[in-house]
Amino acid sequence: MEIRLSPAQYQILIKLVYLGQWMIEGAREEEGELEEYDALASYIYSYAPLFGAKNLVDFDEAEGEYYPSSELDELMEEIIARYEESTFWDQLVLRLAERDLIREYGEEGIKRMDWKELEDKRGALIKKYLREIEEHGLDNLVIERVS
C-alpha cells in the first residue's frame, strides 16, 4: 500500500501521531508496554526530513529512533491544554452525577432501572452540575472529611 501526502498533510499527520502517543503515555502502566505504538510513531517521524519538517523531530542515535522535537512539543501544548480543560469538566460532571445516582438509588436500584429512566435521571444531574460549573466554576466545590 502506498499513501501520498503533501508536506502540509504530513505535518498534520505527525501532530496526530504526537497526540496519539501523548494519550498512550497516559494509559501506559509499565515500561515497554504499548511499544508497538512507539515503533510506528518513530517510523512516521523518520519521514520528516523528506517532507521539510526536520525541525519537528529529533533522532536518537543510541536508540536508533525518531521522536518529537521540543518545537513540536511547544506546538502541541495549546491543543493539549484545551483538551485537558475540556475533559476535566466533562469527567467531573459525569462522575458527580454517577456518585449522586448511586447515593440516591444504590447500585442495585440503578440496575433495575430501564435505560430511559436512568438516562433521564443522569441527564437531570448532569444539567444541574453543568449549570453550577458554568456559574461558579470550582468555587462551591467542597471536599468534606468524613471521620
Side-chain angles (χ1 to χ4, degrees), residues 43-123:
Y43 176 73
I44 299 294
Y45 292 144
S46 74
Y47 285 90
L50 297 174
F51 284 94
K54 188 176 180 183
N55 59 314
L56 299 179
V57 300
D58 289 326
F59 180 69
D60 182 333
E61 289 188 31
E63 296 288 325
E65 293 183 10
Y66 290 85
Y67 58 93
S69 69
S70 59
E71 186 174 337
L72 183 54
D73 287 337
E74 289 174 24
L75 282 172
M76 302 311 294
E77 281 178 4
E78 184 182 337
I79 291 172
I80 289 171
R82 286 194 321 248
Y83 171 81
E84 287 179 330
E85 179 77 9
S86 174
T87 56
F88 169 78
W89 294 112
D90 290 346
Q91 285 296 311
L92 179 62
V93 165
L94 289 172
R95 290 174 191 222
L96 289 171
E98 289 298 321
R99 178 204 62 189
D100 290 358
L101 281 171
I102 292 169
R103 282 183 177 173
E104 186 167 346
Y105 303 102
E107 289 185 21
E108 290 304 313
I110 291 171
K111 287 178 185 175
R112 287 192 298 272
M113 288 182 197
D114 66 33
W115 180 86
K116 174 84 170 102
E117 179 184 11
L118 179 58
E119 286 306 305
D120 288 346
K121 291 180 184 319
R122 182 183 289 125

Coordinates of all heavy atoms in Angstrom, one line a residue, residues 43-123:
Y43 N 8.7 5.5 13.1 CA 8.7 5.3 11.7 C 8.1 6.5 10.9 O 8.6 7.0 10.0 CB 7.9 4.0 11.3 CG 7.8 3.7 9.9 CD1 8.9 3.3 9.1 CD2 6.5 3.9 9.2 CE1 8.7 3.1 7.7 CE2 6.4 3.7 7.9 CZ 7.5 3.3 7.1 OH 7.4 3.0 5.8
I44 N 6.9 6.9 11.4 CA 6.3 8.1 10.8 C 7.2 9.3 10.9 O 7.4 10.1 10.0 CB 4.9 8.4 11.4 CG1 3.9 7.2 11.2 CG2 4.3 9.7 10.9 CD1 3.5 6.9 9.8
Y45 N 7.7 9.5 12.1 CA 8.6 10.7 12.3 C 9.9 10.6 11.4 O 10.4 11.6 11.0 CB 9.1 10.8 13.8 CG 8.0 11.1 14.8 CD1 8.0 10.5 16.0 CD2 7.0 12.0 14.5 CE1 7.0 10.8 17.0 CE2 6.0 12.3 15.4 CZ 6.0 11.7 16.6 OH 5.0 12.0 17.6
S46 N 10.3 9.4 11.0 CA 11.5 9.3 10.3 C 11.4 9.9 8.9 O 12.4 10.2 8.2 CB 11.9 7.8 10.1 OG 11.0 7.1 9.2
Y47 N 10.2 10.2 8.4 CA 10.0 10.8 7.1 C 10.0 12.3 7.2 O 9.9 13.0 6.1 CB 8.7 10.3 6.5 CG 8.8 8.9 6.0 CD1 8.5 7.8 6.8 CD2 9.2 8.7 4.7 CE1 8.6 6.5 6.3 CE2 9.3 7.4 4.2 CZ 9.0 6.3 5.0 OH 9.1 5.1 4.5
A48 N 10.2 12.9 8.3 CA 10.1 14.4 8.5 C 11.1 15.1 7.6 O 10.7 16.1 6.9 CB 10.4 14.7 9.9
P49 N 12.4 14.6 7.4 CA 13.3 15.4 6.5 C 12.8 15.4 5.1 O 13.0 16.4 4.4 CB 14.6 14.6 6.7 CG 14.5 13.9 8.0 CD 13.1 13.6 8.2
L50 N 12.2 14.3 4.7 CA 11.7 14.3 3.3 C 10.5 15.2 3.0 O 10.3 15.6 1.9 CB 11.2 12.8 2.9 CG 12.3 11.8 3.0 CD1 11.7 10.4 2.8 CD2 13.3 12.0 1.9
F51 N 9.8 15.6 4.1 CA 8.7 16.5 4.0 C 9.0 17.9 4.4 O 8.1 18.7 4.7 CB 7.5 15.9 4.7 CG 6.8 14.8 4.0 CD1 7.2 13.5 4.3 CD2 5.8 15.0 3.1 CE1 6.5 12.4 3.7 CE2 5.2 14.0 2.5 CZ 5.6 12.6 2.7
G52 N 10.3 18.2 4.6 CA 10.6 19.5 5.1 C 10.2 19.9 6.5 O 10.0 21.0 6.8
A53 N 10.1 18.8 7.3 CA 9.7 19.0 8.7 C 10.7 18.5 9.7 O 10.4 18.1 10.8 CB 8.4 18.3 8.9
K54 N 12.0 18.6 9.3 CA 13.1 18.1 10.2 C 13.1 18.8 11.5 O 13.5 18.2 12.5 CB 14.4 18.3 9.4 CG 15.6 17.6 10.2 CD 16.9 17.7 9.4 CE 17.9 17.0 10.2 NZ 19.2 17.1 9.6
N55 N 12.6 20.0 11.6 CA 12.6 20.8 12.8 C 11.6 20.2 13.8 O 11.7 20.5 15.0 CB 12.3 22.2 12.5 CG 10.9 22.4 11.8 OD1 10.6 21.7 10.9 ND2 10.1 23.3 12.3
L56 N 10.7 19.4 13.4 CA 9.7 18.8 14.3 C 10.1 17.5 14.9 O 9.3 17.0 15.7 CB 8.4 18.7 13.5 CG 7.8 20.0 13.0 CD1 6.5 19.8 12.3 CD2 7.6 21.1 14.1
V57 N 11.2 16.9 14.5 CA 11.6 15.6 15.0 C 13.1 15.7 15.4 O 13.9 16.5 14.8 CB 11.3 14.5 14.1 CG1 9.9 14.3 13.8 CG2 12.1 14.6 12.8
D58 N 13.5 14.8 16.3 CA 14.9 14.6 16.6 C 15.2 13.1 16.4 O 14.3 12.3 16.5 CB 15.2 15.0 18.1 CG 15.2 16.5 18.2 OD1 15.5 17.3 17.3 OD2 14.7 17.0 19.3
F59 N 16.5 12.8 16.3 CA 16.9 11.4 16.1 C 17.8 11.0 17.2 O 18.8 11.7 17.5 CB 17.6 11.2 14.8 CG 18.0 9.8 14.5 CD1 17.0 8.8 14.4 CD2 19.3 9.4 14.5 CE1 17.4 7.4 14.1 CE2 19.7 8.1 14.3 CZ 18.8 7.1 14.1
D60 N 17.5 9.9 17.9 CA 18.4 9.4 19.0 C 19.2 8.3 18.4 O 18.8 7.2 18.1 CB 17.5 8.9 20.1 CG 18.4 8.4 21.3 OD1 19.5 7.9 21.1 OD2 17.8 8.4 22.4
E61 N 20.5 8.6 18.2 CA 21.4 7.7 17.5 C 21.6 6.4 18.3 O 21.7 5.3 17.8 CB 22.8 8.3 17.2 CG 22.6 9.3 16.1 CD 24.0 9.9 15.6 OE1 25.0 9.1 15.7 OE2 24.0 11.0 15.2
A62 N 21.7 6.5 19.6 CA 21.9 5.4 20.5 C 20.7 4.4 20.4 O 20.9 3.2 20.4 CB 22.1 5.8 22.0
E63 N 19.5 5.0 20.4 CA 18.3 4.1 20.4 C 17.9 3.8 18.9 O 17.1 2.9 18.7 CB 17.1 4.9 21.1 CG 17.4 5.1 22.5 CD 17.2 3.8 23.3 OE1 16.4 2.9 23.0 OE2 18.0 3.7 24.3
G64 N 18.4 4.6 18.0 CA 18.0 4.4 16.6 C 16.6 4.8 16.3 O 15.9 4.2 15.5
E65 N 16.0 5.8 17.1 CA 14.6 6.1 17.0 C 14.4 7.6 16.8 O 15.2 8.4 17.3 CB 13.9 5.7 18.2 CG 13.8 4.2 18.4 CD 13.0 3.8 19.6 OE1 12.3 4.6 20.2 OE2 13.0 2.6 19.9
Y66 N 13.4 8.0 16.1 CA 13.0 9.3 15.9 C 11.9 9.7 17.0 O 11.1 8.8 17.3 CB 12.4 9.6 14.5 CG 13.4 9.5 13.4 CD1 13.8 8.3 12.9 CD2 14.0 10.7 13.0 CE1 14.7 8.2 11.9 CE2 14.9 10.6 11.9 CZ 15.3 9.4 11.4 OH 16.2 9.3 10.4
Y67 N 11.9 10.9 17.4 CA 10.9 11.3 18.4 C 10.7 12.8 18.3 O 11.4 13.5 17.6 CB 11.4 11.0 19.9 CG 12.7 11.6 20.2 CD1 12.8 12.9 20.8 CD2 14.0 11.0 19.9 CE1 14.0 13.5 21.2 CE2 15.2 11.6 20.2 CZ 15.2 12.8 20.8 OH 16.4 13.4 21.1
P68 N 9.6 13.3 18.8 CA 9.2 14.7 18.7 C 10.3 15.7 19.2 O 10.9 15.4 20.3 CB 7.9 14.9 19.5 CG 7.4 13.5 19.7 CD 8.6 12.6 19.7
S69 N 10.5 16.7 18.5 CA 11.4 17.8 19.0 C 10.7 18.7 20.0 O 9.5 18.6 20.1 CB 11.9 18.6 17.8 OG 10.9 19.4 17.3
S70 N 11.5 19.5 20.6 CA 10.9 20.4 21.6 C 10.0 21.4 20.8 O 9.0 21.9 21.4 CB 12.0 21.2 22.4 OG 12.9 21.8 21.5
E71 N 10.3 21.7 19.6 CA 9.5 22.6 18.8 C 8.1 22.0 18.6 O 7.1 22.7 18.7 CB 10.1 22.9 17.4 CG 9.4 23.9 16.6 CD 10.1 24.3 15.3 OE1 11.3 24.2 15.2 OE2 9.4 24.8 14.4
L72 N 8.0 20.7 18.3 CA 6.7 20.0 18.2 C 6.0 20.0 19.5 O 4.8 20.2 19.6 CB 6.9 18.6 17.6 CG 5.6 17.8 17.3 CD1 4.6 18.6 16.4 CD2 6.0 16.5 16.7
D73 N 6.8 19.7 20.6 CA 6.2 19.8 21.9 C 5.5 21.1 22.1 O 4.3 21.2 22.6 CB 7.2 19.6 23.0 CG 7.8 18.2 23.1 OD1 7.1 17.2 22.7 OD2 8.9 18.0 23.6
E74 N 6.1 22.2 21.8 CA 5.6 23.5 22.0 C 4.4 23.8 21.2 O 3.4 24.4 21.6 CB 6.7 24.6 21.8 CG 7.7 24.6 22.9 CD 8.9 25.6 22.5 OE1 8.7 26.5 21.8 OE2 10.0 25.3 23.1
L75 N 4.4 23.3 19.9 CA 3.3 23.5 19.0 C 2.0 22.8 19.5 O 0.9 23.3 19.3 CB 3.6 22.9 17.6 CG 4.5 23.7 16.7 CD1 4.9 22.9 15.5 CD2 3.8 25.0 16.3
M76 N 2.2 21.7 20.2 CA 1.1 20.9 20.7 C 0.6 21.3 22.1 O -0.5 20.8 22.5 CB 1.4 19.4 20.6 CG 1.9 18.9 19.2 SD 0.8 19.4 17.9 CE -0.7 18.5 18.3
E77 N 1.3 22.1 22.8 CA 0.9 22.5 24.2 C -0.5 23.0 24.2 O -1.3 22.7 25.1 CB 1.9 23.5 24.8 CG 3.2 22.8 25.3 CD 4.2 23.9 25.8 OE1 3.9 25.1 25.9 OE2 5.3 23.4 26.2
E78 N -0.9 24.0 23.4 CA -2.2 24.6 23.4 C -3.3 23.6 23.2 O -4.3 23.6 23.9 CB -2.3 25.8 22.5 CG -3.6 26.5 22.6 CD -3.7 27.7 21.6 OE1 -2.7 28.2 21.1 OE2 -4.9 28.0 21.3
I79 N -3.1 22.8 22.2 CA -4.2 21.8 21.9 C -4.3 20.8 23.1 O -5.5 20.5 23.5 CB -3.8 21.0 20.6 CG1 -3.9 21.9 19.4 CG2 -4.7 19.7 20.4 CD1 -3.4 21.3 18.1
I80 N -3.3 20.4 23.7 CA -3.3 19.5 24.8 C -4.0 20.2 26.0 O -4.8 19.6 26.7 CB -2.0 18.9 25.2 CG1 -1.5 17.9 24.1 CG2 -2.0 18.3 26.5 CD1 -0.1 17.5 24.2
A81 N -3.6 21.5 26.2 CA -4.2 22.2 27.3 C -5.7 22.4 27.2 O -6.5 22.2 28.1 CB -3.6 23.6 27.5
R82 N -6.2 22.7 25.9 CA -7.6 22.8 25.7 C -8.3 21.4 25.9 O -9.4 21.4 26.5 CB -7.9 23.3 24.3 CG -7.6 24.7 24.1 CD -8.1 25.3 22.8 NE -8.0 24.5 21.6 CZ -7.2 24.7 20.6 NH1 -6.4 25.7 20.5 NH2 -7.2 23.8 19.6
Y83 N -7.7 20.4 25.4 CA -8.2 19.0 25.6 C -8.4 18.7 27.1 O -9.4 18.2 27.6 CB -7.4 18.0 24.9 CG -7.8 16.6 25.3 CD1 -8.8 16.0 24.6 CD2 -7.1 15.8 26.2 CE1 -9.2 14.7 24.9 CE2 -7.4 14.5 26.5 CZ -8.5 14.0 25.9 OH -8.9 12.7 26.2
E84 N -7.3 18.9 27.9 CA -7.3 18.6 29.3 C -8.4 19.5 30.0 O -9.1 18.9 30.9 CB -6.0 18.9 29.9 CG -5.0 17.8 29.5 CD -3.6 18.0 30.1 OE1 -3.2 19.2 30.3 OE2 -2.9 17.0 30.3
E85 N -8.5 20.7 29.7 CA -9.5 21.6 30.3 C -10.9 21.0 30.0 O -11.8 20.9 30.9 CB -9.4 23.0 29.7 CG -10.4 24.0 30.3 CD -10.1 24.5 31.7 OE1 -9.1 24.2 32.2 OE2 -11.0 25.1 32.2
S86 N -11.2 20.7 28.8 CA -12.5 20.1 28.4 C -12.8 18.8 29.1 O -13.9 18.6 29.6 CB -12.5 20.0 26.9 OG -13.7 19.3 26.5
T87 N -11.8 17.9 29.0 CA -12.1 16.6 29.6 C -12.2 16.6 31.1 O -12.9 15.9 31.7 CB -11.1 15.5 29.2 OG1 -9.8 16.0 29.6 CG2 -11.1 15.2 27.7
F88 N -11.5 17.6 31.8 CA -11.6 17.7 33.2 C -13.0 18.0 33.6 O -13.6 17.3 34.5 CB -10.7 18.8 33.7 CG -11.0 19.2 35.2 CD1 -10.5 18.4 36.2 CD2 -11.7 20.3 35.5 CE1 -10.8 18.7 37.5 CE2 -12.0 20.7 36.8 CZ -11.5 19.9 37.8
W89 N -13.6 19.0 33.0 CA -15.0 19.4 33.3 C -16.0 18.3 33.0 O -16.9 18.0 33.8 CB -15.4 20.7 32.7 CG -14.6 21.9 33.2 CD1 -13.6 22.6 32.5 CD2 -14.6 22.4 34.5 NE1 -13.1 23.5 33.3 CE2 -13.6 23.5 34.5 CE3 -15.3 22.1 35.6 CZ2 -13.4 24.2 35.7 CZ3 -15.1 22.9 36.8 CH2 -14.1 23.9 36.8
D90 N -15.8 17.7 31.8 CA -16.7 16.6 31.4 C -16.7 15.4 32.4 O -17.7 14.9 32.8 CB -16.3 16.0 30.0 CG -16.6 17.0 28.9 OD1 -17.4 18.0 29.1 OD2 -16.1 16.7 27.8
Q91 N -15.5 15.0 32.8 CA -15.3 13.9 33.7 C -15.8 14.3 35.1 O -16.5 13.5 35.8 CB -13.8 13.5 33.8 CG -13.4 12.7 32.6 CD -14.2 11.4 32.5 OE1 -14.3 10.6 33.5 NE2 -14.7 11.1 31.3
L92 N -15.6 15.5 35.5 CA -16.1 15.9 36.9 C -17.6 15.9 36.9 O -18.2 15.3 37.8 CB -15.6 17.4 37.2 CG -16.1 17.9 38.5 CD1 -15.5 17.1 39.7 CD2 -15.6 19.4 38.6
V93 N -18.2 16.4 35.9 CA -19.7 16.4 35.9 C -20.2 15.0 35.8 O -21.2 14.6 36.6 CB -20.2 17.2 34.6 CG1 -21.7 17.0 34.3 CG2 -20.0 18.7 34.9
L94 N -19.7 14.1 34.9 CA -20.2 12.8 34.8 C -20.0 12.0 36.1 O -20.8 11.2 36.6 CB -19.5 12.1 33.7 CG -19.9 12.5 32.3 CD1 -18.9 11.9 31.2 CD2 -21.3 12.2 32.0
R95 N -18.8 12.2 36.7 CA -18.6 11.4 38.0 C -19.4 11.9 39.1 O -19.8 11.1 40.0 CB -17.1 11.5 38.3 CG -16.3 10.6 37.3 CD -14.8 10.8 37.5 NE -14.1 10.2 36.4 CZ -13.0 9.5 36.5 NH1 -12.5 9.3 37.7 NH2 -12.4 9.0 35.4
L96 N -19.6 13.2 39.2 CA -20.5 13.7 40.3 C -22.0 13.2 40.1 O -22.6 12.7 41.0 CB -20.5 15.2 40.3 CG -19.3 15.8 40.8 CD1 -19.3 17.4 40.6 CD2 -19.0 15.5 42.3
A97 N -22.4 13.1 38.8 CA -23.7 12.6 38.5 C -23.8 11.1 38.9 O -24.8 10.7 39.5 CB -24.1 12.8 37.0
E98 N -22.8 10.4 38.5 CA -22.8 8.9 38.8 C -22.8 8.7 40.4 O -23.5 7.9 40.9 CB -21.6 8.2 38.2 CG -21.7 8.1 36.7 CD -22.9 7.2 36.2 OE1 -23.2 6.2 36.9 OE2 -23.5 7.6 35.2
R99 N -22.0 9.5 41.0 CA -22.0 9.4 42.5 C -23.3 9.7 43.1 O -23.8 8.9 44.0 CB -21.0 10.4 43.1 CG -20.9 10.4 44.6 CD -20.4 11.7 45.2 NE -21.3 12.8 44.8 CZ -21.0 14.0 45.1 NH1 -19.8 14.4 45.6 NH2 -21.9 15.0 44.8
D100 N -24.0 10.7 42.6 CA -25.3 11.0 43.2 C -26.4 10.0 42.9 O -27.2 9.7 43.7 CB -25.8 12.4 42.7 CG -25.0 13.6 43.3 OD1 -24.1 13.3 44.1 OD2 -25.2 14.7 42.9
L101 N -26.3 9.4 41.7 CA -27.2 8.3 41.3 C -27.1 7.1 42.3 O -28.0 6.6 42.8 CB -27.0 7.9 39.9 CG -27.6 8.7 38.8 CD1 -27.1 8.2 37.4 CD2 -29.1 8.7 38.8
I102 N -25.8 6.8 42.5 CA -25.5 5.6 43.4 C -26.0 6.0 44.8 O -26.6 5.1 45.5 CB -24.0 5.2 43.4 CG1 -23.7 4.6 42.0 CG2 -23.7 4.3 44.5 CD1 -22.3 4.5 41.7
R103 N -25.7 7.2 45.3 CA -26.1 7.6 46.7 C -27.6 7.5 46.8 O -28.2 7.1 47.9 CB -25.6 9.0 47.0 CG -24.2 9.0 47.4 CD -23.8 10.5 47.7 NE -22.4 10.5 48.2 CZ -21.8 11.7 48.4 NH1 -22.4 12.8 48.3 NH2 -20.5 11.6 48.8
E104 N -28.4 8.0 45.8 CA -29.8 8.0 45.9 C -30.5 6.7 45.7 O -31.5 6.4 46.4 CB -30.4 9.1 45.0 CG -31.9 9.3 45.1 CD -32.4 10.6 44.4 OE1 -31.6 11.4 44.0 OE2 -33.6 10.7 44.3
Y105 N -30.0 5.9 44.7 CA -30.8 4.7 44.3 C -30.0 3.4 44.6 O -30.6 2.4 44.5 CB -31.1 4.8 42.8 CG -31.9 6.0 42.5 CD1 -31.3 7.1 41.9 CD2 -33.3 6.1 42.7 CE1 -32.0 8.2 41.5 CE2 -34.0 7.2 42.4 CZ -33.4 8.3 41.8 OH -34.1 9.4 41.5
G106 N -28.7 3.5 44.9 CA -27.9 2.3 45.1 C -27.6 1.6 43.8 O -28.3 1.8 42.8
E107 N -26.6 0.8 43.8 CA -26.2 0.2 42.6 C -27.3 -0.8 42.1 O -27.5 -0.9 40.9 CB -24.8 -0.6 42.8 CG -23.7 0.4 42.9 CD -22.3 -0.2 43.0 OE1 -22.2 -1.4 42.6 OE2 -21.4 0.4 43.4
E108 N -27.9 -1.5 43.1 CA -29.0 -2.4 42.7 C -30.2 -1.7 42.1 O -30.8 -2.1 41.1 CB -29.4 -3.3 43.9 CG -28.3 -4.3 44.3 CD -28.0 -5.2 43.1 OE1 -28.9 -5.7 42.4 OE2 -26.7 -5.4 42.9
G109 N -30.5 -0.5 42.7 CA -31.6 0.3 42.2 C -31.4 0.8 40.8 O -32.3 0.8 39.9
I110 N -30.1 1.1 40.5 CA -29.7 1.6 39.2 C -29.9 0.4 38.2 O -30.4 0.6 37.1 CB -28.3 2.2 39.2 CG1 -28.3 3.5 40.0 CG2 -27.8 2.4 37.8 CD1 -27.0 4.1 40.2
K111 N -29.4 -0.7 38.6 CA -29.5 -1.9 37.7 C -31.0 -2.2 37.3 O -31.2 -2.8 36.2 CB -28.9 -3.1 38.3 CG -27.4 -3.0 38.4 CD -26.8 -4.3 39.1 CE -25.2 -4.1 39.2 NZ -24.6 -5.2 40.0
R112 N -31.9 -2.0 38.2 CA -33.3 -2.3 38.0 C -34.0 -1.2 37.1 O -35.1 -1.5 36.6 CB -34.1 -2.4 39.3 CG -33.8 -3.6 40.1 CD -34.7 -3.9 41.2 NE -34.7 -2.8 42.2 CZ -33.8 -2.8 43.3 NH1 -33.0 -3.8 43.5 NH2 -33.8 -1.8 44.1
M113 N -33.4 -0.1 36.9 CA -34.0 1.0 36.1 C -33.9 0.6 34.6 O -32.9 0.0 34.2 CB -33.2 2.3 36.3 CG -33.5 3.0 37.6 SD -32.6 4.6 37.6 CE -32.6 4.9 39.4
D114 N -34.9 1.0 33.9 CA -34.8 0.8 32.4 C -33.9 2.0 31.9 O -33.6 3.0 32.6 CB -36.1 0.8 31.7 CG -36.9 2.1 31.8 OD1 -36.3 3.2 31.8 OD2 -38.2 2.0 31.8
W115 N -33.4 1.8 30.7 CA -32.5 2.7 30.1 C -33.0 4.2 30.1 O -32.3 5.1 30.4 CB -32.2 2.3 28.6 CG -31.2 3.2 28.0 CD1 -29.9 3.1 28.0 CD2 -31.5 4.3 27.1 NE1 -29.3 4.1 27.3 CE2 -30.3 4.9 26.7 CE3 -32.7 4.9 26.7 CZ2 -30.2 6.0 25.9 CZ3 -32.6 6.0 25.9 CH2 -31.4 6.5 25.5
K116 N -34.3 4.4 29.7 CA -34.8 5.7 29.6 C -34.9 6.4 31.0 O -34.5 7.6 31.1 CB -36.3 5.6 29.1 CG -37.0 6.9 29.0 CD -36.7 7.7 27.8 CE -37.6 8.9 27.7 NZ -37.1 10.2 28.1
E117 N -35.3 5.7 32.0 CA -35.4 6.2 33.4 C -34.0 6.6 33.8 O -33.8 7.7 34.4 CB -36.0 5.2 34.3 CG -36.1 5.8 35.7 CD -36.6 4.7 36.7 OE1 -36.7 3.5 36.4 OE2 -36.9 5.1 37.9
L118 N -33.0 5.7 33.6 CA -31.6 6.0 34.1 C -31.1 7.2 33.3 O -30.5 8.1 34.0 CB -30.8 4.8 33.8 CG -29.3 4.9 34.2 CD1 -29.1 5.3 35.7 CD2 -28.5 3.7 33.9
E119 N -31.3 7.3 32.0 CA -30.8 8.5 31.3 C -31.4 9.8 31.7 O -30.8 10.8 31.7 CB -30.9 8.2 29.8 CG -29.9 7.2 29.2 CD -28.4 7.6 29.6 OE1 -28.0 8.7 29.3 OE2 -27.8 6.8 30.2
D120 N -32.8 9.7 32.0 CA -33.4 10.9 32.4 C -32.9 11.4 33.8 O -32.6 12.6 33.9 CB -35.0 10.7 32.6 CG -35.7 10.5 31.2 OD1 -35.1 10.9 30.2 OD2 -36.8 10.0 31.2
K121 N -32.7 10.5 34.7 CA -32.1 10.9 36.0 C -30.7 11.4 35.9 O -30.3 12.4 36.5 CB -32.2 9.7 37.0 CG -33.7 9.4 37.4 CD -33.7 8.2 38.3 CE -35.1 7.8 38.7 NZ -36.1 8.8 38.9
R122 N -29.9 10.7 35.1 CA -28.5 11.1 34.9 C -28.4 12.4 34.2 O -27.7 13.3 34.6 CB -27.7 10.0 34.1 CG -26.3 10.4 33.8 CD -25.6 9.4 33.0 NE -25.4 8.1 33.7 CZ -25.8 6.9 33.2 NH1 -26.4 6.8 32.1 NH2 -25.5 5.8 33.9
G123 N -29.3 12.6 33.2 CA -29.3 13.8 32.4 C -29.7 15.0 33.3 O -29.1 16.1 33.1

